Amino acid sequence: MTINRIFVIAKNVFQEVVRDRILYIIGFYTLIFGVSLRVLPEFAASTENKMLLDFGMVAMSVIILIVTIFIGTGLINKEIEKRTILVLVAKPISRSEIITGKFLGLSAVIAVLVTSMTGIYLLFLQIANIPHPTVSILIAAVFLFLQLSLIAAVAITFGVFTSSLLAIVLTFAVYLMGNITQDLVQFGRLSHNPIIQIFAQILYLILPDLSRLDLKNDAVYGLHALPDFTALTINLGYGLIYSVMLLAIAIFIFSRREF
């Protein structure tokens, strides 16, 4: 059954990542955030609460982003380089099942990391008696998971047809550009140059608008204490649809590769 095969692949990816001790990254996050609680107030006593709230969210995002990109780009590429992909394709498993299973396995890893780090983040804030908008932070964490899952789909897509190094560079580039797509459109309008405007619009249409899924500032400043569920639902749908489209592209390319 297709679902069972996808589940087995996803489970294997998750177990492989855990065996690589990647979950030690949770301890690393605990360490640096714990240190920040002691160090940051020394430099900015007047704004220490906002700085700590911001630092905790940013550190979480950056750490899991790095893990996602380095693992995601290698999920398929390493199989190809080591020729173990020949064993997989020889089995009664479709290539779409391989891509889907790899993606879901990596998404499970991301979910564990986001959940664990968010729990640690909230625990430290509670211990330090730092006022924080819990609802906003939880919403931001959910959308962080969605954003990083989308990046995982980008990483897997590039990993299907490029080398690991190039896939890493391209995925980082998509992440950086995806966070400023709206700024690119504004820049194109301000340039008054038709070519630049068209180019900026094309980039906006092709690249994922990751700012839709970035609610870190909202969490820090508590803007979603009473969330706009309509906007959140639209952005949630956007992230899911974009991830599915990327996986469809990855499956299309992978299905046409010869080994």
Side-chain angles (χ1 to χ4, degrees):
M1 186 176 178
T2 298
I3 296 177
N4 289 338
R5 290 194 291 265
I6 291 174
F7 175 77
V8 170
I9 294 172
K11 181 182 176 182
N12 288 338
V13 170
F14 184 84
Q15 290 177 336
E16 182 180 346
V17 172
V18 172
R19 282 197 298 269
D20 288 339
R21 301 177 181 176
I22 200 67
L23 296 184
Y24 282 9
I25 214 76
I26 297 171
F28 176 68
Y29 174 77
T30 304
L31 177 63
I32 63 171
F33 190 53
V35 171
S36 71
L37 288 172
R38 303 284 296 180
V39 174
L40 288 181
E42 300 293 332
F43 295 95
S46 61
T47 58
E48 62 178 89
N49 287 349
K50 295 300 182 185
M51 285 187 65
L52 288 168
L53 287 170
D54 196 29
F55 178 80
M57 293 296 296
V58 171
M60 186 192 311
S61 176
V62 171
I63 290 172
I64 306 178
L65 170 69
I66 294 172
V67 171
T68 299
I69 292 178
F70 276 88
I71 294 178
T73 52
L75 282 178
I76 299 296
N77 204 283
K78 285 182 180 179
E79 300 274 14
I80 296 173
E81 292 175 353
K82 294 179 180 179
R83 311 304 292 174
T84 53
I85 192 67
L86 297 175
V87 178
L88 281 176
V89 297
K91 295 181 178 180
I93 302 174
S94 69
R95 300 194 183 191
S96 62
E97 290 170 345
I98 294 174
I99 294 292
T100 305
K102 297 280 189 183
F103 172 75
L104 292 178
L106 180 53
S107 294
V109 173
I110 295 171
V112 170
L113 291 175
V114 171
T115 301
S116 300
M117 291 185 185
T118 302
I120 292 166
Y121 177 65
L122 291 171
L123 179 62
F124 271 119
L125 294 178
Q126 190 68 34
I127 292 173
N129 292 319
I130 297 174
H132 56 278
T134 303
V135 173
S136 298
I137 290 172
L138 292 176
I139 292 173
V142 171
F143 276 81
L144 175 61
F145 164 74
L146 185 61
Q147 183 191 73
L148 293 172
S149 294
L150 193 157
I151 292 299
V154 173
I156 291 172
T157 302
F158 284 132
V160 165
F161 66 91
T162 63
S163 66
S164 295
L165 180 59
L166 182 56
I168 289 170
V169 173
L170 290 174
T171 306
F172 268 115
V174 169
Y175 177 80
L176 294 174
M177 296 290 286
N179 278 287
I180 60 170
T181 51
Q182 295 183 10
D183 294 330
L184 287 174
V185 173
Q186 292 299 324
F187 172 76
R189 291 171 180 169
L190 292 173
S191 69
H192 301 296
N193 186 316
I195 296 178
I196 294 178
Q197 289 179 4
I198 293 173
F199 181 69
Q201 193 65 41
I202 291 173
L203 285 178
Y204 178 76
L205 294 174
I206 294 176
L207 294 171
D209 185 2
L210 297 178
S211 62
R212 286 172 171 257
L213 310 175
D214 186 358
L215 303 183
K216 289 191 293 293
N217 288 335
D218 296 345
V220 171
Y221 296 102
L223 298 183
H224 281 300
L226 293 174
D228 182 349
F229 285 108
T230 301
L232 292 178
T233 302
I234 291 172
N235 291 337
L236 178 67
Y238 173 84
L240 292 173
I241 291 171
Y242 209 103
S243 296
V244 171
M245 289 173 58
L246 285 169
L247 291 176
I249 293 171
I251 291 169
F252 176 80
I253 296 172
F254 189 51
S255 63
R256 279 154 181 74
R257 286 205 61 170
E258 299 293 336
F259 305 104

